[in-house]
Amino acid sequence: MIQPPSWLPVSPDSDFSVYNLPYGIFSKGKEKARVGVALGEWILDLAAAAQLGLLSEWEGAVSVFEQEVLNEFIAQGRPAWQSLRKSLQRLVTEEESPLRAVADQVLVRQAEARMHLPVRIGDYTDFYSSLEHATNVGKLFRPDNPLMPNWKYLPVAYHGRASSIVVSGTPVHRPQGQILPAGAEVPVLSPTQALDFELELGYIIGKNSPLGSNVATSEAGDYVFGCVLVNDWSARDIQRWEYQPLGPFLSKNFATSISPWVVPMDALVPFQTEGPRQEPPPLPYLRTSGAFNLDLELEVALKPGELPESTLCQTNARYLYWNIRQQIAHHTVTGCNLSIGDLLATGTISGTGPGPSSPGLSSRGSNGCLLELTKGGTSPVVIAGGGQRTYLLDGDEVIMRGFAHKNGLRVGFGEVRGKVLPALEQPGAEG
Ligand code: MN
């Protein structure tokens, strides 16, 4: 399966191959943000293409591409996504493509564009679906009882905060919150001393499910539009003090970063793979049989200020224990509704592999957060130039990347990056 060539020069190493065609929201200069599709180093301006009559089936619906979010396009439904994808693949591969004559009106260089949050996200749920992550973290927080008795029976999750989801490139202030210092009995309000990243994938919901109805695993695939990379920033010292009994709150609510390009599920079909065997077998409503995991290579790099990048983690989404169909079936088993644009993230993706061969990482490098990579902040990782990290410092930039490749076909996610800014000033006290 070799990807067809385009008349546009697209590097074979590009994440944005002719087979990918991810959707995003871009703007150039002072122009209004609108819908685009990434191809190589370019963005296809879908509003311009539709206005010029290149997308005949969209003649009466050009405004769908003039929106500042993808929600209205997503609401057109899977047959519309698939027909657009076919039209675009023809326009960028056929020698006789009518796009060639108007390329200067329809193509924008990514380097000249600004990317925006692609979707209006109404609700955000973060799962905890990696067995390796749950076990490693459980050992640090509860050495006697790492994996809770429910973990292999249900996809554990918490309801996250949608308002603070930001697009790649948005800097993130070090949060402050209550922390219980070691040995103390009374907490203090302090900037976190344990700022972490979490490497995750996020699924964008593509179809509404009504309140009061369930979505079965067999139908759950119809409810997914596409996928993004997610950095679920986390403050471990705040989390440790606040998380029992209701789960994370301020340790997670200050920011979640996502990549700007939404990779359509249709582009990921060749990379679907079976997940790990589930033992004990889940209850019947959670059973799936099929290739519903993604064979997707993932990595995290750290760039401290002007210093070079260090790769901290390399792993693969295929290791995830619970798949998206199980997550959707579980999420809706109560009758809870899903809405177009909701974000369902996987939880930190850790693996069993050796990870990158950087010094100081040894066998920990397939773990998707610093909490695991540094064994709870007790064993620093070595970074380029001889520095060390337990948790993130101000000025550190975290960069996550993901791509799938198979038989000459490459589909990538680009990047999600974010730089750590110093903490905000503490709020004043009354009286
Ligand atoms: Mn998370």
Side-chain angles (χ1 to χ4, degrees):
M1 195 189 318
I2 301 287
Q3 55 209 29
S6 173
W7 49 264
L8 256 179
V10 178
S11 156
D13 302 330
S14 174
D15 278 351
F16 307 125
S17 62
V18 168
Y19 193 79
N20 188 349
L21 302 179
Y23 296 97
I25 299 291
F26 77 99
S27 64
K28 200 183 153 189
K30 294 202 165 137
E31 291 167 8
K32 200 170 160 288
R34 54 198 186 273
V35 177
V37 162
L39 178 64
E41 293 165 24
W42 303 88
I43 299 171
L44 265 92
D45 180 339
L46 292 193
Q51 278 158 9
L52 289 164
L54 297 174
L55 303 169
S56 51
E57 65 272 44
W58 294 86
E59 238 157 58
V62 177
S63 68
V64 166
F65 302 125
E66 295 170 339
Q67 305 298 311
E68 294 182 358
V69 283
L70 293 171
N71 298 57
E72 197 170 316
F73 169 63
I74 297 173
Q76 306 301 308
R78 184 172 303 277
W81 315 335
Q82 288 179 331
S83 97
L84 178 63
R85 187 173 155 76
K86 282 212 176 73
S87 303
L88 291 175
Q89 279 176 336
R90 277 200 302 272
L91 282 172
V92 298
T93 55
E94 287 179 1
E95 280 299 313
E96 308 293 307
S97 169
L99 178 55
R100 298 188 75 159
V102 291
D104 59 332
Q105 296 171 66
V106 178
L107 295 174
V108 175
R109 282 194 179 277
Q110 283 176 32
E112 292 171 8
R114 183 175 151 219
M115 298 306 297
H116 301 260
L117 198 65
V119 180
R120 190 186 323 108
I121 298 169
D123 267 308
Y124 161 40
T125 304
D126 195 20
F127 285 88
Y128 192 54
S129 289
S130 157
L131 177 62
E132 291 77 15
H133 174 69
T135 307
N136 294 338
V137 170
K139 274 184 198 156
L140 292 166
F141 279 52
R142 294 174 305 273
D144 316 331
N145 186 19
L147 206 60
M148 300 299 269
N150 58 6
W151 200 92
K152 285 193 169 179
Y153 285 97
L154 57 85
V156 169
Y158 66 95
H159 283 125
R161 183 77 193 165
S163 68
S164 53
I165 297 174
V166 294
V167 73
S168 175
T170 310
V172 171
H173 280 282
R174 174 179 301 275
Q176 58 192 333
Q178 285 197 21
I179 292 164
L180 188 68
E185 284 178 18
V186 176
V188 295
L189 179 68
S190 164
T192 177
Q193 302 303 306
L195 183 60
D196 202 352
F197 54 79
E198 290 190 337
L199 168 65
E200 308 194 12
L201 267 188
Y203 290 87
I204 304 288
I205 293 297
K207 182 178 170 181
N208 296 326
S209 78
L211 181 62
S213 73
N214 317 128
V215 178
T217 52
S218 58
E219 304 160 1
D222 296 342
Y223 287 79
V224 186
F225 171 70
C227 226
V228 291
L229 296 173
V230 177
N231 180 355
D232 179 28
W233 302 91
S234 298
R236 300 304 183 189
D237 40 9
I238 299 175
Q239 184 176 1
R240 192 178 284 271
W241 170 236
E242 76 176 2
Y243 88 103
Q244 284 179 321
L246 284 185
F249 181 35
L250 304 195
S251 54
K252 306 275 189 173
N253 79 354
F254 55 97
T256 305
S257 302
I258 67 170
S259 53
W261 294 107
V262 185
V263 175
M265 294 315 289
D266 289 318
L268 293 167
V269 169
F271 311 106
Q272 287 184 317
T273 184
E274 278 187 39
R277 199 172 111 81
Q278 295 182 320
E279 188 57 48
L283 298 181
Y285 80 99
L286 286 176
R287 280 182 206 159
T288 54
S289 58
F292 305 128
N293 272 27
L294 293 172
D295 185 2
L296 189 63
E297 313 238 1
L298 298 165
E299 68 166 43
V300 184
L302 178 74
K303 183 169 171 16
E306 298 308 310
L307 294 173
E309 273 182 42
S310 295
T311 303
L312 296 187
C313 160
Q314 282 174 339
T315 186
N316 193 303
R318 69 184 305 155
Y319 298 125
L320 286 166
Y321 190 86
W322 296 104
N323 63 54
I324 180 64
R325 293 186 179 221
Q326 294 174 316
Q327 290 164 346
I328 288 177
H330 187 63
H331 204 306
T332 60
V333 73
T334 54
C336 174
N337 45 337
L338 295 176
S339 300
I340 287 171
D342 285 356
L343 177 69
L344 269 52
T346 55
T348 307
I349 302 172
S350 294
T352 51
S357 56
S358 324
L361 280 176
S362 66
S363 63
R364 289 173 273 150
S366 63
N367 295 329
C369 64
L370 284 169
L371 177 69
E372 290 168 79
L373 288 165
T374 68
K375 301 190 172 168
T378 62
S379 172
V381 293
V382 177
I383 58 172
Q388 294 189 339
R389 281 296 179 282
T390 47
Y391 290 106
L392 297 170
L393 300 182
D394 294 349
D396 283 353
E397 187 170 30
V398 177
I399 306 156
M400 297 177 175
R401 303 186 176 96
F403 66 90
H405 61 123
K406 187 179 181 181
N407 304 336
L409 202 63
R410 183 176 164 111
V411 169
F413 284 69
E415 294 178 342
V416 56
R417 54 168 73 214
K419 192 170 190 167
V420 179
L421 298 181
L424 303 173
E425 266 181 58
Q426 287 200 358
E430 211 176 303

